[in-house]
Amino acid sequence: MSMIPMFLKEMEQEAQTTRKMLERVPDEKYEWQPHPKSMTVQRLATHIAELPTWVSMGLTTGGLDFAVTPYQPEVITNTADLLEYFEKCLSDGRAHLEKAREEQLSEPWILRNGDHILQNYTRADVIRMTYCQIVHHRAQLGVFLRLLDVPIPGSYGPSADEH
C-alpha cells in the first residue's frame, strides 16, 4: 500500500476523535490554564485545530524558519468558531494530501530558527510528526477538560465518562 492513502485514512480517523474533543471545550473556559507554564485552553485548542495545516506546509514548502516566519496563532474565543476553524484546516490538509505524489514524501524538509536547525525531516516525517502532535496535544486538552470536570469522549475506545 502506498503512503498517501494510509495518511489520508489516519487523518480521517484522528479527525473524528479530535472533533469530539474540541466539541467539549466550554466557551467560558478559554482563558483557563492549569499552571502558569501551561497554555490556556484557548491556545491549546486552537493549536490542535490548526495542526492539519502542517500537512499542507510539509507538502508545499521546503521547511519552516521561525526566525523568518514567527508564529502567529489564530485568535478564537468560542467553540463554534473553533470547530469551524478545525474543519477549514482539516479540509486544507486533506486537499494537499489528496493531490500529493508519493515521490514527494521522501523530499527533505527543514525546521529551523535562523541558522539553528531544529530538525531535518522528510515530507513524510512532517506528516507523521503532525499526527503525533495532534494526538499529544489532544491528550493535554483531555487533562485540562478533566480538571475542569468536563466529561471526556473516548479516543480509541470508551472513556471513563462513557458507559
Side-chain angles (χ1 to χ4, degrees):
M1 180 180 218
S2 61
M3 292 178 71
I4 291 173
M6 289 187 330
F7 282 146
L8 284 165
K9 180 180 177 183
E10 186 175 3
M11 178 182 272
E12 291 307 316
Q13 289 171 331
E14 293 303 328
Q16 291 173 22
T17 304
T18 300
R19 193 176 291 113
K20 288 190 300 184
M21 188 69 77
L22 294 176
E23 288 171 347
R24 305 284 175 107
V25 177
D27 286 344
E28 69 277 6
K29 297 296 184 181
Y30 270 63
E31 294 305 313
W32 184 86
Q33 65 190 116
H35 186 276
K37 291 183 180 179
S38 297
M39 289 186 260
T40 63
V41 168
Q42 176 190 35
R43 180 66 213 103
L44 180 58
T46 302
H47 184 51
I48 294 166
E50 75 191 357
L51 276 166
T53 64
W54 277 65
V55 172
S56 306
M57 182 173 48
L59 290 168
T60 61
T61 70
L64 174 62
D65 184 348
F66 289 119
V68 175
T69 310
Y71 181 63
Q72 295 294 324
E74 192 80 16
V75 178
I76 295 179
T77 58
N78 66 74
T79 302
D81 290 347
L82 176 68
L83 291 168
E84 184 179 316
Y85 183 58
F86 171 66
E87 295 301 335
K88 176 183 158 194
C89 293
L90 179 63
S91 178
D92 181 72
R94 182 187 309 113
H96 281 93
L97 190 53
E98 286 172 343
K99 64 184 177 186
R101 299 176 329 276
E102 288 290 325
E103 56 272 12
Q104 280 180 276
L105 299 176
S106 60
E107 294 173 359
W109 195 92
I110 310 292
L111 183 64
R112 66 176 56 236
N113 190 7
D115 291 335
H116 179 67
I117 293 178
L118 302 169
Q119 197 73 29
N120 273 308
Y121 288 119
T122 65
R123 293 175 191 267
D125 293 334
V126 174
I127 295 168
R128 288 292 326 128
M129 180 272 300
T130 298
Y131 293 175
C132 290
Q133 285 290 303
I134 291 169
V135 172
H136 163 75
H137 289 304
R138 198 173 63 209
Q140 283 182 299
L141 181 60
V143 171
F144 284 27
L145 295 176
R146 173 68 71 217
L147 291 170
L148 292 169
D149 204 28
V150 174
I152 308 300
S155 292
Y156 304 105
S159 76
D161 295 314
E162 298 174 327
H163 298 76

